[in-house]
């Protein structure tokens, strides 16, 4: 067997993960945790699902380093509480920093990525504009290249992400195709298997995740975010169910006088309708039809508050019941398997660039 035959997996790979340096909120659950669990069930036997904790990405922005390890492990527990099947042999659960090939490949990819193209990344430009380039870490600037390594090490076909991450898929494909072309004489089959195009990623994400984006309860024109310092617009998965219900009851709506669904002009009331549908596992159109035209907002808020309250009571009970020993066993087994796959890819790249 050719020792450089790096990506020799029987099933196409779906790669996904959530940063583990903050408490996750209900928007993360509906838009991230639950879709990943649903994705695992939907594609069982057809795809390899790589679910990783991007812990190296966790401190591209300032964090409390003394809490980082605790937060990483807690977020792993959250995935299990959300229903992740630890017995699924096609699912691999791993920590990015435990696979050293991620950091090693990122450095090599750095040398094939242009300063200008990385500087054009929207996330970097936005944060640099807010804080000033002198206060932004090189790690944040370099984030897309490490992300490219995360993807290319396993030849991931699909990487379900939010729309704000589309540029990162594009740069991953650009780097992969650039290196494939440069080293095609040595590796005519291609050094990397790049992910599919952004258009196909979006199609896949909509099909498998539904494009959920929960809004801030006090400022519904923007998505629910961990950066909300007041805490009033965000429902954390660790919130007391009663406190969470209170946040729903004080959510901003509008003064139109009757209920309708339109995120462009009525984001507050539309957000509540969306939350109720997803929390109850009900078709959104059915929920909209049930409430459209009603002049009182109170009953809708009460229904959403009750559904969130019931969800948190159940979810937090499941979280307390997570089998830590089984989770750690899955983690360690997965990390051994991923090290082998990632190191095969890294060796192939090291050989191409002359390091081996």
């Amino acid at each position: 067997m050719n020792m450089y035959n790096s990506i020799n997996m029987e099933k196409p790979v779906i790669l996904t993960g959530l940063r583990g340096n903050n408490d996750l909120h209900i928007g993360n659950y509906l838009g991230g945790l639950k879709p990943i669990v649903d994705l695992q069930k939907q594609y069982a036997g057809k795809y390899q699902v790589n679910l990783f904790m991007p812990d190296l990405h966790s401190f591209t922005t300032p964090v409390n380093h003394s809490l980082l390890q605790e937060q990483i492990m807690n977020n792993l527990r959250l995935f299990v509480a959300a229903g992740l099947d630890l017995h699924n042999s096609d699912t691999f659960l791993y920590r990015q920093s435990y696979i050293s090939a991620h950091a090693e490949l990122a450095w090599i990819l750095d040398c094939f990525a242009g300063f200008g193209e990385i500087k054009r990344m929207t996330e970097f430009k936005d944060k640099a504009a807010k804080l000033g380039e002198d206060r932004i870490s090189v790690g944040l600037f370099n984030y897309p290249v490490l992300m490219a390594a995360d993807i290319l090490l396993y030849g991931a076909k699909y990487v379900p992400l939010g729309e704000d991450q589309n540029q990162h898929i594009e740069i991953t494909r650009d780097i992969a195709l650039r290196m494939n072309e440069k080293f095609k004489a040595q590796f005519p089959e291609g050094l990397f298997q790049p992910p599919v195009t952004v258009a196909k990623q979006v199609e896949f994400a909509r099909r498998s995740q539904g494009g959920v984006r929960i809004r801030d309860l006090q400022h519904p024109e923007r998505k629910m975010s961990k950066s909300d310092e007041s805490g009033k617009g965000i429902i954390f998965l660790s919130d007391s169910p009663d406190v969470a219900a209170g946040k729903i009851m004080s959510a901003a709506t509008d003064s139109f006088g009757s209920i309708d669904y339109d995120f462009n002009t009525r984001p507050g009331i539309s957000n509540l309708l969306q939350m109720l549908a997803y929390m109850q596992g009900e078709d959104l159109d059915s929920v909209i039809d049930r409430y459209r035209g009603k002049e009182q907002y109170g009953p809708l808020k009460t229904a959403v508050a009750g559904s969130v309250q019931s969800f948190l009571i159940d979810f937090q009970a499941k979280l307390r019941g997570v089998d830590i020993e089984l989770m750690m066993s899955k983690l360690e087994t997965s990390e051994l398997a991923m090290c082998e796959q990632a190191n095969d890819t890294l060796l192939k790249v090291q050989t191409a660039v002359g390091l081996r």
Side-chain angles (χ1 to χ4, degrees), residues 62-294:
V63 299
N64 185 334
H65 292 273
S66 65
L67 297 177
L68 181 58
Q69 188 60 214
E70 178 184 344
Q71 290 169 332
I72 290 167
M73 298 311 297
N74 184 59
N75 282 1
L76 286 167
R77 290 172 55 236
L78 291 173
F79 273 106
V80 180
L84 190 75
D85 181 6
L86 295 177
H87 297 285
N88 186 308
S89 60
D90 289 327
T91 297
F92 295 88
L93 188 67
Y94 58 99
R95 293 160 289 189
Q96 181 188 34
S97 68
Y98 277 65
I99 318 292
S100 61
H102 286 253
E104 293 184 62
L105 181 60
W107 172 253
I108 296 175
L109 298 184
D110 271 338
C111 298
F112 294 88
F115 178 82
E117 64 185 347
I118 299 299
K119 193 174 181 178
R120 288 192 292 272
M121 294 293 104
T122 300
E123 183 176 5
F124 173 78
K125 288 199 299 183
D126 288 349
K127 290 185 178 178
K130 290 178 183 177
L131 300 176
E133 286 191 9
D134 289 343
R135 295 180 60 191
I136 296 293
S137 73
V138 175
L140 181 64
F141 178 82
N142 201 38
Y143 182 104
V145 182
L146 178 56
M147 185 170 168
D150 300 334
I151 296 167
L152 296 175
L153 279 171
Y154 310 99
K157 183 175 183 178
Y158 293 113
V159 189
L161 295 167
E163 292 180 6
D164 55 345
Q165 299 286 318
N166 285 346
Q167 277 189 308
H168 294 168
I169 294 295
E170 291 172 348
I171 195 66
T172 299
R173 285 179 51 81
D174 288 345
I175 294 172
L177 295 173
R178 183 178 304 152
M179 294 183 70
N180 283 353
E181 177 64 23
K182 183 174 181 64
F183 299 105
K184 67 180 179 180
Q186 190 175 1
F187 295 97
E189 78 284 4
L191 196 57
F192 295 115
Q193 292 180 11
V196 298
T197 63
V198 167
K200 291 181 179 178
Q201 297 285 350
V202 171
E203 181 185 351
F204 179 82
R206 285 176 178 165
R207 188 169 65 246
S208 61
Q209 294 184 273
V212 180
R213 179 170 288 193
I214 302 302
R215 305 296 183 92
D216 186 287
L217 295 172
Q218 293 299 316
H219 302 280
E221 69 279 359
R222 63 194 187 206
K223 70 177 182 178
M224 190 175 283
S225 170
K226 302 169 207 172
S227 61
D228 171 25
E229 295 180 0
S230 72
K232 295 179 181 179
I234 183 170
I235 296 175
F236 289 104
L237 294 176
S238 58
D239 275 350
S240 155
D242 290 342
V243 168
K247 291 180 181 180
I248 295 292
M249 296 305 295
S250 62
T253 52
D254 55 48
S255 57
F256 280 82
S258 66
I259 294 174
D260 202 358
Y261 183 85
D262 185 342
F263 263 112
N264 291 322
T265 60
R266 310 187 63 182
I269 203 72
S270 299
N271 190 43
L272 292 176
L273 289 166
Q274 175 184 245
M275 287 183 67
L276 183 61
Y278 286 121
M279 295 308 301
Q280 296 189 161
E282 192 174 352
D283 181 71
L284 178 58
D285 289 336
S286 297
V287 172
I288 294 170
D289 289 343
R290 188 162 69 247
Y291 284 93
R292 179 179 279 126
K294 293 191 175 181

Side-chain angles (χ1 to χ4, degrees), residues 19-53:
R19 280 176 58 169
N21 58 309
N22 292 102
D23 285 340
L24 298 187
H25 54 71
I26 204 162
N28 295 134
Y29 174 83
L30 292 173
L33 293 172
K34 186 177 183 299
I36 289 170
V37 172
D38 291 344
L39 180 149
Q40 183 196 44
K41 296 174 181 176
Q42 181 179 356
Y43 294 108
K46 298 178 182 177
Y47 287 86
Q48 173 179 314
V49 178
N50 284 17
L51 172 57
F52 78 115
M53 291 292 110

